[in-house]
Amino acid sequence: EVELVESGGGSLEPGGSLTLSCTVSGFIFDAADMGWYRQAPGNACELVSRITRGGYTWYPDSVKGRFIISRDNNQNALSLRMSDLKPDDSAVYYCAGPLDPNAVQVRLKNGCQGRWGQGTQVTVSS
């Protein structure tokens, strides 16, 4: 059974930093492309970072330079380091995988919920 468990969310002020973590089981982690999606109320489920099994990373312009995705294949763990956080970054963040290596889906029509784990809430406000 595939299981992805996120942790590390919280509330903080603009400009702050936070690291999200995810532990994975149920599939061969080091062979999988992985990512982080987020969804805020009224918004689509959007991809905010992706890392291939070879370590290649991708970010949308909205977070490029502020977010860093990494993986530890020995621990079956995925992380997302977020810096200079803005109110627009407030959302539920989901660890996602395994992702289709041949199709990068930047936005998911039917939302994030129910696809992977429970997600972790990040709230950025002053």
Side-chain angles (χ1 to χ4, degrees):
E1 181 182 1
V2 173
E3 187 172 27
L4 302 101
V5 180
E6 303 94 340
S7 61
S11 298
L12 67 167
E13 295 184 349
S17 299
L18 202 61
T19 298
L20 306 182
S21 300
C22 173
T23 56
V24 173
S25 61
F27 60 92
I28 302 174
F29 180 76
D30 61 5
D33 287 10
M34 299 292 298
W36 289 91
Y37 281 83
R38 70 183 180 189
Q39 187 165 23
N43 289 2
C45 177
E46 62 172 346
L47 182 65
V48 294
S49 62
R50 179 184 174 105
I51 185 166
T52 68
R53 63 181 184 176
Y56 174 81
T57 57
W58 175 92
Y59 307 92
D61 288 344
S62 59
V63 307
K64 195 175 293 182
R66 300 189 298 119
F67 288 15
I68 299 174
I69 187 172
S70 61
R71 64 191 300 158
D72 183 340
N73 290 337
N74 291 325
Q75 300 293 327
N76 280 13
L78 188 73
S79 296
L80 183 67
R81 174 67 176 172
M82 306 184 293
S83 304
D84 190 21
L85 283 162
K86 307 176 188 301
D88 284 351
D89 295 318
S90 297
V92 179
Y93 284 72
Y94 296 87
C95 171
L99 300 180
D100 184 344
N102 298 312
V104 179
Q105 294 185 288
V106 177
R107 281 186 174 75
L108 300 176
K109 289 182 181 178
N110 296 321
C112 289
Q113 195 169 9
R115 294 179 182 268
W116 308 290
Q118 294 298 310
T120 187
Q121 176 72 50
V122 174
T123 303
V124 184
S125 69
S126 53

